[in-house]
Amino acid sequence: MTVSRKQMADAIRILTIDAVQKANSGHPGMPMGMADIAEVLWNDFLVHNPSNPHWAGRDRFLLSNGHGSMLQYALLHLSGYDLSLDDLKNFRQWHSKTPGHPEYRDAPGVETTTGPLGQGLANGVGMALAEQLLAKQFNRPGHEIVDNYTYVFLGDGCLMEGVSHEACSLAGVWGLHKLICFYDDNNISIDGHVDNWFADDTPARFEAYGWHVIRDINGHDPEAVKHAIVAARAQTSKPVLICCKTVIGEGSPNKAGTHDVHGAALGAEEVAATRKHLGWPSDEAFFVPQEIYQGWDARAKGKAAEAAWQDKFAAYKAAFPAEAAEFERRLRGEPSPAFDAAIAKVIADFRAEAPKIATRVASGKTIQGIAAAVPEFLGGSADLSPSNNTRWKEAVDLGKHKVEGNYIHYGVREFGMSAIMNGVALYGGFLPFGGTFLIFSDYSRNAIRMSALMGIRVIYVMTHDSIGLGEDGPTHQPIEQVNSLRLIPNLHVWRPADAVETAIAWESSVKQERTPSLLALSRQNLSALPHSDASIEGARRGGYVIKAAAGKEEGIILASGSEVELALAAQAKLAEAGVHVRVVSMPCLEIFDTQDAAYRESVLPAALSKRLAVEAGTSGLWYKYVGLQGGVVGIDRFGASAPAPVLFEKYGFTVAHVVERFRAL
């Protein structure tokens, strides 16, 4: 029995309304409205293999309007992925493979975690960028092993979020012609009809970015959708936005076209009415006829597509064995064999030279020293390259319609940069890092959080880490940023105290597998610490004794970053008065907290309960190390405009004040 396109799309609608109704939670409207578009894309164009969701040659599909997650789950289930009917019945339940929004690693075939609107679209820009860059680096004439499309579904909410402007502007600059986006223009958001708060001329906006725009496609006409995709794939110089007019909740006789169907279950009566309206052959929940399953089943086609790609890659490997081995290594995310020697040399040179330099400068020197051993580096900065020291001498800049190289000038687009880097990391083959001032991590914060949530390797290079930046004043001086970032689970926040600790921060960041890193780096010069082999190993463990007391220890001074130097000076002053303390450097609290109890006790012995922490930022987080009876020299108010030495004095970051505070404990 031949099934129609409408019946295939209606299967998505039925599974959606049943799953949302069973959970009594979810967003049925978008999946019902975009079902016809999805059916055409997935059955006629999308190259994928349900039996192996992560093979390198696949197309990428992203659901930026991730509240409509049942659309993706229904597609995955129907086409043959390891996502069962029981998984759909467990929609939004504890430890299910079908959480409320698509989550990377939870369900097979989900390429990125979406839900915070606009970021999936920005991830798509990153994936399309990575595809073109990887193709440029590895493809050879007659051997195009990197050749896939990135398809993104998005809605009004994605376009209202500012990150969509940042990312789509760059996509136009770069001319990412294998990025094809479908705008679900249904005129509805949670509050109702969007006309009163979203009146943009969206097609004109994207044309101004340099996109190719296909206007006024009836999203419920499969032939119109198909012709639009064919036209989009014929575009060879611009990303494409297909503007699809749809009815939210299409198929619901009483709620279609209203905000009532956006974010709530239809209700038992309307579910029954929708079944009847669609002419569905059964009233049984989650029932899909076998002939429709057969029509959707993409396993044989996917297996053949992957086999064809594997044959192509085998030919490539025979012709270019070294390039093939490097391609495979980079997709595995393993550091190159040359990396350990390169970073070891950087650390050894810093130890030998003991330079008094800013940690942002030390970071730049580290990048320069390891870049040749990390060909997967894709660096960049949000218009602060000279300040962030992120660009190395041999870096090759991307430019307008020049998608080749390994360094990106993102412009003043901190959020877009961070979300694009997430997409690059998810695509594979690259290790992206990007810089800005630490204060502007606030602009990037949700994308940083998404890096941590997904467990992907992205490196954030954040400079000007404290009041030490000086005259730019409180708008640019981080106070709460370091500690607020430390509150994000699965994020390594490094605040190194000298050049050696900075190199170790880079070593750790490159070697991580499922943890992003953020480096908070100083503008002002910092003295080299008295390093030994033991302190090098201790720095790798996140916290260590940088200098023990000369006599019987009476307490501990803990510090990070620029304040370690101050702590050492205070230690010397106290020793002159016969008060002996150890100084502990804490470059990465998160890594220190994962060490075994014996190591943590060796650094912070319980017997030494007299403790003072010193850090030029908010004080609250440090009490978990110093205890309620301990003290913190910190900053719990905003900064001021003045030279850095004046600010440190006025805010109490002096030897005399640290000594006074310790003796008062």
Side-chain angles (χ1 to χ4, degrees), residues 239-389:
V240 180
L241 181 71
I242 303 175
C243 299
C244 300
K245 287 287 184 183
T246 66
V247 176
I248 191 170
E250 171 70 10
S252 170
N254 301 303
K255 295 188 176 183
T258 74
H259 69 276
D260 294 332
V261 76
H262 184 287
L266 296 184
E269 289 186 9
E270 189 65 11
V271 166
T274 301
R275 271 187 161 72
K276 184 176 180 181
H277 182 72
L278 295 176
W280 202 245
S282 173
D283 293 331
E284 179 186 345
F286 296 97
F287 173 80
V288 175
Q290 282 304 308
E291 57 268 24
I292 291 180
Y293 271 122
Q294 291 166 6
W296 269 105
D297 192 343
R299 286 172 292 188
K301 185 167 64 174
K303 184 178 180 181
E306 182 181 354
W309 184 87
Q310 293 291 358
D311 289 343
K312 184 185 294 187
F313 185 72
Y316 177 86
K317 194 169 186 176
F320 307 100
E323 290 85 350
E326 175 67 2
F327 181 78
E328 292 175 317
R329 177 193 71 78
R330 286 174 56 169
L331 288 185
R332 290 194 302 269
E334 296 174 357
S336 74
F339 175 70
D340 283 343
I343 192 65
K345 184 178 187 306
V346 172
I347 293 170
D349 288 349
F350 282 151
R351 286 182 68 181
E353 297 164 8
K356 184 173 183 177
I357 55 177
T359 53
R360 64 169 175 155
V361 174
S363 173
K365 288 179 177 294
T366 303
I367 293 169
Q368 185 65 53
I370 64 176
V374 192
E376 59 266 39
F377 263 169
L378 182 60
S381 172
D383 202 46
L384 289 168
S385 296
S387 295
N388 298 147
N389 294 89

Side-chain angles (χ1 to χ4, degrees), residues 175-189:
L176 301 178
H177 66 278
K178 294 171 82 174
L179 173 64
I180 299 176
C181 300
F182 298 80
Y183 167 34
D184 181 31
D185 184 8
N186 61 31
N187 201 41
I188 295 290
S189 68

Side-chain angles (χ1 to χ4, degrees), residues 243-550:
C243 299
C244 300
K245 287 287 184 183
T246 66
V247 176
I248 191 170
E250 171 70 10
S252 170
N254 301 303
K255 295 188 176 183
T258 74
H259 69 276
D260 294 332
V261 76
H262 184 287
L266 296 184
E269 289 186 9
E270 189 65 11
V271 166
T274 301
R275 271 187 161 72
K276 184 176 180 181
H277 182 72
L278 295 176
W280 202 245
S282 173
D283 293 331
E284 179 186 345
F286 296 97
F287 173 80
V288 175
Q290 282 304 308
E291 57 268 24
I292 291 180
Y293 271 122
Q294 291 166 6
W296 269 105
D297 192 343
R299 286 172 292 188
K301 185 167 64 174
K303 184 178 180 181
E306 182 181 354
W309 184 87
Q310 293 291 358
D311 289 343
K312 184 185 294 187
F313 185 72
Y316 177 86
K317 194 169 186 176
F320 307 100
E323 290 85 350
E326 175 67 2
F327 181 78
E328 292 175 317
R329 177 193 71 78
R330 286 174 56 169
L331 288 185
R332 290 194 302 269
E334 296 174 357
S336 74
F339 175 70
D340 283 343
I343 192 65
K345 184 178 187 306
V346 172
I347 293 170
D349 288 349
F350 282 151
R351 286 182 68 181
E353 297 164 8
K356 184 173 183 177
I357 55 177
T359 53
R360 64 169 175 155
V361 174
S363 173
K365 288 179 177 294
T366 303
I367 293 169
Q368 185 65 53
I370 64 176
V374 192
E376 59 266 39
F377 263 169
L378 182 60
S381 172
D383 202 46
L384 289 168
S385 296
S387 295
N388 298 147
N389 294 89
T390 41
R391 192 183 185 283
W392 62 104
K393 292 176 184 176
E394 299 80 14
V396 177
D397 297 337
L398 276 71
K400 186 174 182 180
H401 285 241
K402 177 179 173 284
V403 185
E404 57 182 286
N406 52 14
Y407 193 83
I408 301 173
H409 296 278
Y410 286 98
V412 188
R413 300 181 178 96
E414 298 89 356
F415 193 3
M417 172 183 73
S418 302
I420 287 171
M421 288 197 297
N422 284 342
V424 168
L426 288 161
Y427 185 88
F430 293 98
L431 174 51
F433 66 87
T436 185
F437 289 166
L438 179 61
I439 193 73
F440 302 133
S441 64
D442 286 346
Y443 283 135
S444 297
R445 187 180 180 88
N446 201 266
I448 296 171
R449 183 178 186 271
M450 297 300 282
S451 304
L453 178 62
M454 290 189 280
I456 54 178
R457 208 170 43 137
V458 177
I459 303 173
Y460 298 93
V461 182
M462 304 289 186
T463 68
H464 298 59
D465 71 330
S466 74
I467 57 171
L469 68 89
E471 292 85 346
D472 274 345
T475 61
H476 281 52
Q477 291 166 0
I479 300 296
E480 75 279 14
Q481 276 69 28
V482 167
N483 276 325
S484 69
L485 289 161
R486 286 169 174 157
L487 295 174
I488 298 176
N490 194 42
L491 174 67
H492 287 171
V493 179
W494 285 88
R495 189 167 184 255
D498 73 345
V500 167
E501 284 192 2
T502 303
I504 289 168
W506 270 103
E507 177 185 46
S508 174
S509 302
V510 170
K511 288 190 169 184
Q512 292 306 314
E513 294 182 3
R514 291 196 175 189
T515 303
S517 301
L518 185 145
L519 280 56
L521 306 170
S522 74
R523 176 180 185 266
Q524 73 275 26
N525 291 338
L526 306 181
S527 296
L529 300 181
H531 282 293
S532 64
D533 291 346
S535 73
I536 297 293
E537 186 56 35
R540 291 183 172 119
R541 301 180 77 166
Y544 63 103
V545 180
I546 184 61
K547 192 170 184 181

